[in-house]
Amino acid sequence: MTSVALDRSSNSTRWRNWGRNQSVVPQTIARPSSVAEVQEIVRRAARSGQTVKAVGAGHSFTDIAVAPGVQLQLDGLAGLTAVDRATGEASFGGGTRLYEISALLDGYGLAMPNLGDIDRQSISGAISTGTHGSGARLGGIATQVAAMTLVIGDGSLLRVSERENSELLPAVALGLGALGIIVEVTLRCVPSFVLQADERSASLDELLETIGERAALADHLDAYWFPHTSAALVKTNMRLPAGSAPEPLHPVRRFVDDELMSNQVFRAVCALGHVAPGLVPQINRLSNAAVAKRTYSDWSHRVFVASRTVRFVEQEYSVPAEALPEVVRHIRAFIVRRDLQISFPVELRFAAADDLMLSTAHGRLSGYVAVHRYFRDDHREYFAGVEDICRAVGGRPHWGKLHTQTAESLRWLYPRFDDFVGVRNALDPERTFTNPYLDRVLGA
Ligand SMILES: Cc1cc2nc3c(=O)[nH]c(=O)nc-3n(C[C@H](O)[C@H](O)[C@H](O)COP(=O)(O)OP(=O)(O)OC[C@H]3O[C@@H](n4cnc5c(N)ncnc54)[C@H](O)[C@@H]3O)c2cc1C
C-alpha cells in the first residue's frame, strides 16, 4: 500500500473530477492493494476522527466523490475474483472499471445486460450513483448487483447477498458511497449478445407523440434533441438472437462518425459557440443536418458505449415516464423564453421500475432527461430552469449529476428514504464516510 500525507496548500496533489467543476486537496491519499489494508485505513481514520472516501474515475459532476480527509484510490483492488458460467454471476474488485469488466466477461462468453453512454467509470462509482443506460424493461447498473462486500464504519467486513443480510441489498447496491467502502461486487451477467443498432433522424413533435410506444417496443431507446431545431436523433437498439454474427460499421465510418464528428469537430463547434453564442442555433441546425442514418450490429458493449472527450457538465432528472414528453415541451419553451443558446443536445432515456431504496427509478417506470453545457459555458440559468420543470412532476435528480436538492426535499421523493438513513446509522454511525454532499442530500 502507498499512503501519502499531503501538504494541503499544494496544487500538484489537487484532485479534479472529469467535468473540471469539482476539486479538493485531500489530507491523505491511500492506494491500498488488499482488503485488509482498506480495513486498517478505515479503523485508523475512525480512531482519529478523519473521514474516508473512495474515489472511482471521478466522473460525477456533483461533489459526491470529493474527499477532504482520506481519499482512497482502489485501482489496486481491481479485476475478476470469481465467475460462475452456469449462473452468470461474476465478482470483481471494487476498483474495477466498466471497460475492464466487459473485456473480462468476454473471455467467459458473458456480458453486462445494459450499460450507459461510456465505460470509463469504476463499477463501485457507477452503482453508487445510480448510473443507468436506457431500456424500459431494464434497470440501472445497480439492479445487476447480486452481492457485495463492504468495509463498514468500524472497519469490519460486511457481506450482503440474496442469502446473507439480504434485507440490506436494496440499500448497499446503490449507496451513494455513504455506507462503506465497496471491496467486491458480484454482478448478474447474461450470455454475450449482439445488438442491432438503428440511428435516424425524426421530428421532435412526432417523437414526443410516440416516445412511450417506441420505448416499449425497443430493447434500448436513446434520443437526442438538438435545441433550436425541430429534429431529434433516435437510436433504437434491439437484441439479436443468440448465435447472430455482428455486422459492425466499417472502421473508417466508425472513426469519422464517433471520433471525428462526435469529438473533434464537436469540440471546435462548442468552442465557437462559447465565444459566439449567437451562432449556436445555426450550428445546431447544421449539426442536425449532418446526422446520417446508419444501421449496423455489434457486440453489445461496442454499441452501448461511446468515447466522450469534449468536456461538459450535466444535470439529469428521472421523471415518471408518461411525463417525459410534457417535460421536453416545457424545456423547449423555456429555452426560447430565456433566449438561451444551447449547443449540446438534450438526451432522453428510459429505465424499468426497481426496488432499490435510493434508485431514481424506485417504484416507477422512468423517463430520463439530461441537459449538458460545455464546461466553459455558464450552466446555472439553464439547469435551474430545467430542474424546476422536472421537480414540478416529481423528478428525482441523478446522484452524480448537478442538482440543488437537499435531504428535506428528497425525503418526499423516496418512500424508503428514512429506511436508507436507518441503514446508514447502523453501518456508519460516526459518519466516517461522509462529505459535504452527503450531509446535504442525506442530512448530517
Ligand atoms: C462523460 C460522462 C458520461 C456519463 N454517462 C453516464 C450515463 O450514460 N449514465 C449515467 O447514469 N451516468 C453517466 N455519467 C455519470 C457517471 O456514470 C456517474 O457519475 C458515476 O458515479 C461515475 O463513476 P466513477 O467511477 O467516476 O465514480 P466517482 O464519481 O469517482 O464516485 C461516485 C461515488 O461513488 C463512490 N465510490 C466510488 N468507489 C467506491 C467504493 N469502492 N466504495 C464505496 N463508494 C465508492 C464515491 O465515493 C462517490 O460517492 C457520465 C459521466 C460522464 C463524465
Side-chain angles (χ1 to χ4, degrees):
M1 172 181 64
T2 50
S3 182
V4 213
L6 301 172
D7 167 6
R8 302 210 72 185
S9 60
S10 159
N11 251 344
S12 59
T13 48
R14 181 165 288 280
W15 172 90
R16 287 188 173 78
N17 68 338
W18 183 91
R20 297 294 183 265
N21 63 325
Q22 307 291 347
S23 78
V24 69
V25 180
Q27 281 173 339
T28 310
I29 295 177
R31 300 185 182 90
S33 48
S34 71
V35 172
E37 284 171 4
V38 176
Q39 292 182 272
E40 184 48 33
I41 292 166
V42 171
R43 281 199 195 101
R44 226 184 308 138
R47 274 198 304 271
S48 63
Q50 259 190 320
T51 54
V52 181
K53 185 132 292 286
V55 65
H59 274 51
S60 296
F61 300 96
T62 54
D63 48 340
I64 190 167
V66 166
V70 181
Q71 183 191 70
L72 276 186
Q73 298 181 4
L74 291 183
D75 301 289
L77 285 183
L80 185 70
T81 52
V83 60
D84 182 337
R85 280 179 203 248
T87 61
E89 288 191 359
S91 304
F92 301 90
T96 315
R97 305 293 167 110
L98 297 181
Y99 65 88
E100 294 174 320
I101 292 183
S102 293
L104 288 163
L105 288 175
D106 219 25
Y108 294 89
L110 294 170
M112 290 172 72
N114 203 0
L115 276 168
D117 282 346
I118 60 156
D119 59 5
R120 301 294 103 180
Q121 308 95 317
S122 66
I123 182 61
S124 300
I127 60 176
S128 296
T129 56
T131 293
H132 61 91
S134 194
R137 293 185 290 273
L138 289 159
I141 296 178
T143 64
Q144 300 167 25
V145 174
M148 180 184 283
T149 306
L150 303 110
V151 175
I152 58 173
D154 62 2
S156 64
L157 278 184
L158 176 71
R159 177 83 184 153
V160 179
S161 72
E162 277 142 5
R163 289 172 296 279
E164 298 156 273
N165 303 304
S166 59
E167 72 288 357
L168 297 177
L169 201 53
V172 299
L174 199 167
L176 313 192
L179 305 179
I181 305 299
I182 301 164
V183 290
E184 190 182 61
V185 183
T186 303
L187 298 176
R188 269 183 234 101
C189 303
V190 294
S192 302
F193 58 101
V194 172
L195 279 176
Q196 173 75 46
D198 179 290
E199 303 174 2
R200 61 182 70 211
S201 171
S203 108
L204 178 66
D205 286 329
E206 192 267 331
L207 173 68
L208 295 181
E209 288 293 320
T210 56
I211 197 163
E213 293 136 55
R214 286 173 184 251
L217 291 172
D219 288 320
H220 311 270
L221 184 90
D222 209 338
Y224 300 82
W225 165 55
F226 298 86
H228 318 291
T229 78
S230 56
L233 167 65
V234 185
K235 297 187 174 187
T236 310
N237 296 332
M238 300 299 289
R239 287 157 186 246
L240 294 183
S244 303
E247 293 177 19
L249 287 172
H250 189 281
V252 174
R253 172 87 196 266
R254 193 175 170 104
F255 173 78
V256 170
D257 288 358
D258 298 347
E259 183 49 42
L260 200 63
M261 297 303 287
S262 303
N263 285 318
Q264 300 186 27
V265 173
F266 190 52
R267 177 175 299 106
V269 160
C270 289
L272 180 62
H274 178 68
V275 290
L279 291 179
V280 166
Q282 214 176 326
I283 294 172
N284 281 13
R285 282 192 285 275
L286 284 172
S287 306
N288 180 55
V291 167
K293 171 177 177 269
R294 56 180 202 174
T295 53
Y296 65 97
S297 63
D298 212 336
W299 293 105
S300 56
H301 59 95
R302 289 177 56 83
V303 176
F304 286 135
V305 165
S307 143
R308 297 263 185 263
T309 61
V310 180
R311 281 188 207 283
F312 55 82
V313 291
E314 182 175 350
Q315 174 181 268
E316 185 175 46
Y317 262 81
S318 125
V319 297
E322 62 280 6
L324 190 65
E326 210 40 44
V327 163
V328 178
R329 290 186 191 106
H330 281 301
I331 293 174
R332 177 170 58 183
F334 171 76
I335 291 173
V336 171
R337 206 164 52 243
R338 295 293 178 92
D339 195 22
L340 300 175
Q341 313 299 328
I342 306 299
S343 48
F344 271 74
V346 175
E347 186 176 11
L348 310 177
R349 293 185 278 187
F350 289 86
D354 66 51
D355 62 359
L356 304 179
M357 291 180 190
L358 293 189
S359 167
T360 51
H362 181 94
R364 67 187 191 200
L365 172 65
S366 299
Y368 288 84
V369 55
V371 292
H372 313 71
R373 288 225 80 168
Y374 184 48
F375 77 122
R376 296 191 197 286
D377 290 345
D378 186 349
H379 63 268
R380 286 170 299 184
E381 184 179 5
Y382 181 36
F383 285 10
V386 172
E387 185 166 48
D388 285 347
I389 291 166
C390 293
R391 287 184 66 169
V393 295
R396 297 169 176 158
H398 188 303
W399 298 104
K401 301 187 184 179
L402 294 175
H403 69 92
T404 65
Q405 300 223 41
T406 63
E408 286 66 46
S409 55
L410 291 162
R411 173 169 279 112
W412 305 108
L413 297 171
Y414 289 95
R416 299 202 62 192
F417 189 91
D418 287 328
D419 291 340
F420 185 91
V421 172
V423 174
R424 185 186 190 208
N425 290 340
L427 302 189
D428 185 26
E430 303 302 327
R431 300 293 187 256
T432 301
F433 304 116
T434 201
N435 67 3
Y437 177 84
L438 293 182
D439 289 347
R440 165 160 77 91
V441 300
L442 295 175

